[in-house]
Amino acid sequence: MKDILVDMQMAEEMTTTDPLVFRDNEEKNALYKSVFRKHHVTEADYDSSLVWYGRHLDAYMRVHKAALAEVQKRIDALGDVAPESVSESNRDSLDIWNFRRYYELSPRMLDNMIVFDIEPGGGAYSSGSAFVFGVNVWGITPQMTKPVEIRLRTVSDDTVYTASRTVYENGYCEMILKVSPVKKTQRVYGYVRPDGKADAYRKIYLDRIRLIKYRYGSPALEEENDKQDMTDGE
């Protein structure tokens, strides 16, 4: 599965960066089918695997992370951003998102979701942390029964903290996940997934993506709490 994901990701990037060659679905489908032939699987096999991995997110993240490791240099060349390298212990806030800030998702895409998995370089983020995921969403239609689902999880020692949110309207939204003030965080991961109904929408556009780690008690975190309260009350 890892090898297939590597080739499928490169195929997706090829169709995006070379639109003159892949100007319609026929050329794109031919490219995807060549990946399936290379790995001796059918599109139905691939779809069934994605359904299974969708129910076993941790397993998918391990495979997805291994695939990204093989193509990281190419991903960086396509626009990924470098994470901030300033010591996090001296900061009230730190943007730990180290992937692209802009994505387009479509029901025609075989891997129609964003999956992220972040581990701090020093082994763990300091105790007393809170994480705010923010994204600008466009393309939601009235036909989408569950438009865009955001899931954020952290691993702190032996505890997993989870926050989830469904975005029903276009615009900017944020979600806050607080962990124990006495535990350090070793991992932050999750996904952004749109409605799976192929006839509900054409494309979902995601930009201004950020994932900020705040220290408890910082003025910036209090401002984020106030904004979240206002949003939840609307």
Side-chain angles (χ1 to χ4, degrees), residues 8 11-12 14-36 104 106 108-110 202-203:
M8 290 304 298
E12 291 284 357
M14 288 172 63
T15 61
T16 300
T17 58
D18 203 348
L20 293 179
V21 174
F22 303 98
R23 61 180 65 187
D24 56 40
N25 289 330
E26 184 175 351
E27 282 85 1
K28 295 178 182 179
N29 289 335
L31 178 61
Y32 299 142
K33 289 179 180 178
S34 70
V35 174
F36 298 142
E104 293 183 13
S106 166
R108 295 181 178 274
M109 296 173 60
L110 294 174
R202 190 175 69 86
K203 279 189 177 182

Side-chain angles (χ1 to χ4, degrees), residues 32-49:
Y32 299 142
K33 289 179 180 178
S34 70
V35 174
F36 298 142
R37 286 196 301 270
K38 174 183 176 182
H39 295 281
H40 307 290
V41 298
T42 66
E43 184 174 350
D45 294 333
Y46 182 75
D47 289 342
S48 296
S49 295

Side-chain angles (χ1 to χ4, degrees), residues 161-200:
Y161 297 87
T162 303
S164 60
R165 181 169 187 172
T166 301
V167 183
Y168 292 96
E169 297 180 350
N170 293 306
Y172 189 76
C173 69
E174 289 185 342
M175 181 176 67
I176 298 177
L177 175 58
K178 294 182 179 180
V179 302
S180 169
V182 297
K183 290 185 176 182
K184 294 184 177 182
T185 299
Q186 291 82 28
R187 181 184 174 199
V188 183
Y189 66 106
Y191 64 82
V192 182
R193 180 169 58 189
D195 193 322
K197 295 182 179 180
D199 58 347

Side-chain angles (χ1 to χ4, degrees), residues 57 60-61 97 100 103-106 111-117 133-138 140 146-152 163 165-167 173 175 189-195 201 204-207 209-211:
L57 185 60
Y60 181 80
M61 284 184 171
W97 184 261
R100 282 179 287 172
Y103 288 85
E104 293 183 13
L105 300 178
S106 166
D111 189 8
N112 189 29
M113 63 189 302
I114 300 172
V115 177
F116 56 91
D117 195 342
F133 182 87
V135 61
N136 205 28
V137 181
W138 301 103
I140 293 177
K146 192 176 182 181
V148 176
E149 179 187 6
I150 303 174
R151 181 70 57 88
L152 181 63
R165 181 169 187 172
T166 301
V167 183
C173 69
M175 181 176 67
Y189 66 106
Y191 64 82
V192 182
R193 180 169 58 189
D195 193 322
Y201 66 101
I204 294 294
Y205 301 92
L206 306 168
D207 65 6
I209 300 175
R210 64 174 193 161
L211 180 54

Side-chain angles (χ1 to χ4, degrees), residues 9-10 13-14 17 73-80 100:
Q9 179 159 344
M10 297 313 303
E13 297 295 352
M14 288 172 63
T17 58
K73 290 183 180 180
R74 300 179 190 181
I75 294 174
D76 290 341
L78 291 170
D80 283 4
R100 282 179 287 172

